[in-house]
Amino acid sequence: QDLQGKTAFVTGGASGIGLGIAKALLGAGMNLTIADIRQDHLDEAVAELGGGERVLAIRLDVTDREAFAAAADRAEAKFGKIHLLCNNAGVAVVGPTDLATYADWDWVMGVNVGGTINGIVTILPRILAHGEGGHIVNTASMSALVPAAGTTIYSSGKAAVVSMMECMRPELEARGVICSAFCPGAVQSNIAEAGKTRPEELSATGYAEADKRRQSGDQFFHLYQTKEEVGQRVLRGIMNDELYILTHSEFLDGVRERGEATTAAVQTHLPESEEYKRTFAILFRNPAI
Ligand code: NAI
């Protein structure tokens, strides 16, 4: 579809993947609101995007519902309508599950899942109200599809935001809103610094050591995909109405194995009743029934 002159709202849009997406959308002719909790990221991003009338930078903590609505109001006041919502802001802790405090769970789930919920509740009705159609992209992660030990909090939150898109897709497609789950592997970004924006009241962490190590650098960083590469991939996914926007080929076997394992686990001993089979084949579109 033609994105020219339409408006995007990208959370966490001032750094890393969000900035890569913002660049690609700007290149496609969209107006752009980047909303981010870090003012320094916003300032750098505006410079990198070349400033200009098509870019609006808003300081926003996506966990703040009132502020989210006010940010959407500002975007609409400037550009008229919002057509594309990228729920991209995200943070991470990594390490053994038994070290996790409630604050670790609450912080990561609050931003990654709660922030996405806030984006949907705030902006979906606005997209439906203008009737010009639209698109929602949740930035999840490959770890939602191929979870790894030591990533329980992060991966389970990412699985939730994939599921949101899977459920909303068939519900909203007929009403002109397309939903996509973006699941990248490793990308060059500032996510190792995420702890810097962690609120004081959620500072009690079980991962202080791991966080320090993450912030001190990553020897594989140069091998990761760039924000520009994944930004272009997301743009392509939007243009093609893709439900799953995937990137990194090294996860192919993992994705396949998971699909095969879940397929094999389905009980094929079926109930006898023809009515049962007919009914649930329609309800769940399962060709095996
Ligand atoms: P990043 O740290 O470079 O960018 C994230 C931006 O979100 C930052 O500018 C940060 O200030 C902002 N942010 C954090 N908390 C926020 C809040 N409460 N409200 C508003 N903005 C907030 O990190 P990156 O890697 O670009 O992360 C973007 C998304 O991509 C996240 O959802 C992350 O989980 C996901 N992701 C990242 C991968 C990677 O390898 N970098 C891989 C898979 C997924």
Side-chain angles (χ1 to χ4, degrees), residues 113 116-117 120 138 159-169:
V113 181
T116 301
I117 292 168
I120 291 168
N138 282 359
V161 305
V162 169
S163 183
M164 284 178 208
M165 295 294 89
E166 290 173 325
C167 296
M168 288 167 61
R169 172 94 180 195

Side-chain angles (χ1 to χ4, degrees), residues 204-216:
T205 180
Y207 299 110
E209 281 312 308
D211 208 48
K212 225 180 293 164
R213 263 200 314 279
R214 273 159 62 82
Q215 287 198 36
S216 71

Side-chain angles (χ1 to χ4, degrees), residues 147-218:
T151 68
T152 308
I153 302 178
Y154 184 77
S155 296
S156 55
K158 291 303 186 182
V161 305
V162 169
S163 183
M164 284 178 208
M165 295 294 89
E166 290 173 325
C167 296
M168 288 167 61
R169 172 94 180 195
E171 183 191 326
L172 291 167
E173 205 163 4
R175 299 171 73 189
V177 179
I178 303 295
C179 292
S180 302
F182 173 44
C183 303
V187 179
Q188 294 177 9
S189 81
N190 294 308
I191 199 163
E193 287 185 9
K196 290 186 178 177
T197 59
R198 188 167 169 148
E200 184 55 35
E201 66 273 19
L202 296 177
S203 61
T205 180
Y207 299 110
E209 281 312 308
D211 208 48
K212 225 180 293 164
R213 263 200 314 279
R214 273 159 62 82
Q215 287 198 36
S216 71
D218 177 348

